Amino acid sequence: MSKVYWIVFSKDQLWFSDQGKLPEESEILETLSSQENVRTIEDADGQYFKGVQLAAESLPKDWKLVHLRQAFEVLSANEYKVVCKLKELLHWDEEHQFCGKCAHKLDKLTDISKQCPNCGREYWPSPSPAMIVLVEKASEDGVKGHDEVLMIRTHSFPGSFHSLVAGYVESSETLEDTVEREVLEETGISIKNIRYVASQSWPFPFVQMIGFRAEYAGGSLRFQEEEIEKGGWFRRNNLPELPGRISLARKLIDQWLREGE
Ligand SMILES: [Zn+2]
């Protein structure tokens, strides 16, 4: 029998055992494993993971609470996937308790779905699509290394890093429309040559992040005050603090950095 690992959240934070790892079932208190809101998933290798949202008081005192963004720096790619999935499922569980059509309390249908016992309607979790874009500006004097990237810091970012412009898709928009609108709304500039690069599941709280690149087309930076704390154009040798390695933003930035080598 393979081990069962526990993913224990307190809001956006994750508990590591006193060993600094995801705790195994044998380390879990019985009161915890009998919780009602536990979700179990199996990864591609047949390894089981159980996830639960808990208040800090119910855990061993020597365990360590780590913000998910920091935890992502030490988790394996597989553990990242599992943690995201459980975080998103637990969030979805909490937000979808009643039928949107007839308001009855929903029953569990499968490990990842629910059904209304009154009208039969099924509910499956679906992430919100959000765009993130690396906007680059060609070197104005033609000198190699003088090209720049647009980076911003929103009021809601934790820590002190800068990242890329991002935003949610609105109804009737294409993904490219969203990218163009968000950049214009948040920074006042227009862009061209928008193209898809990569995507990533992002559990804050339940987002499918879709990454693009685009080129500066015109206008001057004028940041939307309610959303953006600060930002600007940066050269490779003068970058602000970057977002964590696991983030799609960082992957887009790293790709751009490598092109300048
Ligand atoms: Zn119903």
Side-chain angles (χ1 to χ4, degrees):
M1 170 93 185
S2 61
K3 289 174 187 169
V4 175
Y5 289 94
W6 276 73
I7 318 279
V8 184
F9 301 99
S10 286
K11 298 209 171 106
D12 281 347
Q13 304 188 91
L14 183 66
W15 285 95
F16 281 144
S17 71
D18 56 348
Q19 308 293 315
K21 293 179 180 160
L22 293 176
E24 292 176 27
E25 183 133 79
S26 57
E27 299 172 274
I28 294 284
L29 305 173
E30 248 175 69
T31 48
L32 183 59
S33 51
S34 61
Q35 288 271 329
E36 260 183 32
N37 57 342
V38 174
R39 286 266 162 180
T40 306
I41 58 170
E42 186 184 356
D43 73 5
D45 300 325
Q47 177 76 62
Y48 284 94
F49 295 85
K50 292 186 175 185
V52 67
Q53 267 284 5
L54 278 188
E57 304 82 66
S58 31
L59 293 164
K61 294 272 179 287
D62 50 357
W63 283 20
K64 199 175 156 211
L65 192 57
V66 182
H67 194 277
L68 276 178
R69 285 178 187 270
Q70 270 104 52
F72 290 161
E73 300 288 318
V74 295
L75 294 177
S76 69
N78 184 52
E79 287 171 338
Y80 172 78
K81 263 192 182 176
V82 170
V83 168
C84 283
K85 185 162 183 173
L86 283 168
K87 175 80 170 57
E88 292 169 354
L89 271 176
L90 291 166
H91 171 78
W92 177 77
D93 245 358
E94 203 181 308
E95 302 270 308
H96 293 81
Q97 298 194 29
F98 298 91
C99 179
K101 198 171 167 192
C102 75
H104 255 73
K105 186 145 177 66
L106 298 176
D107 286 343
K108 186 175 166 185
L109 179 61
T110 69
D111 274 338
I112 57 159
S113 65
K114 296 186 181 189
Q115 186 168 34
C116 174
N118 185 50
C119 73
R121 185 166 173 174
E122 290 181 15
Y123 291 86
W124 296 78
S126 56
S128 305
M131 304 305 111
I132 185 159
V133 59
L134 181 139
V135 181
E136 56 197 308
K137 185 156 81 167
S139 161
E140 281 169 349
D141 53 16
V143 175
K144 186 173 158 49
H146 283 192
D147 52 330
E148 294 171 309
V149 66
L150 176 62
M151 293 186 71
I152 50 101
R153 185 173 160 75
T154 72
H155 297 294
S156 62
F157 284 175
S160 52
F161 65 90
H162 278 62
S163 189
L164 305 175
V165 173
Y168 289 101
V169 178
E170 292 183 358
S171 55
S172 87
E173 281 185 329
T174 65
L175 305 186
E176 289 82 358
D177 287 344
T178 308
V179 169
E180 205 173 341
R181 174 182 53 75
E182 285 290 345
V183 171
L184 186 63
E185 277 177 7
E186 292 188 0
T187 73
I189 63 164
S190 56
I191 53 174
K192 61 183 180 184
N193 197 14
I194 300 166
R195 64 247 187 240
Y196 170 77
V197 180
S199 64
Q200 179 184 46
S201 167
W202 190 242
F204 300 104
F206 190 5
V207 176
Q208 180 63 46
M209 198 65 98
I210 305 166
F212 287 83
R213 280 179 72 157
E215 291 163 22
Y216 169 78
S220 310
L221 289 179
R222 184 175 30 79
F223 294 114
Q224 187 182 40
E225 281 177 19
E226 313 84 72
E227 184 115 359
I228 309 287
E229 181 191 322
K230 56 184 170 178
W233 293 106
F234 297 92
R235 288 183 184 168
R236 289 181 179 80
N237 61 3
N238 190 29
L239 290 173
E241 183 184 332
L242 301 180
R245 290 192 181 279
I246 198 82
S247 67
L248 180 57
R250 179 60 175 271
K251 287 181 180 129
L252 294 170
I253 295 165
D254 284 347
Q255 182 191 56
W256 178 77
L257 283 172
R258 282 195 300 274
E259 289 166 7
E261 286 169 359

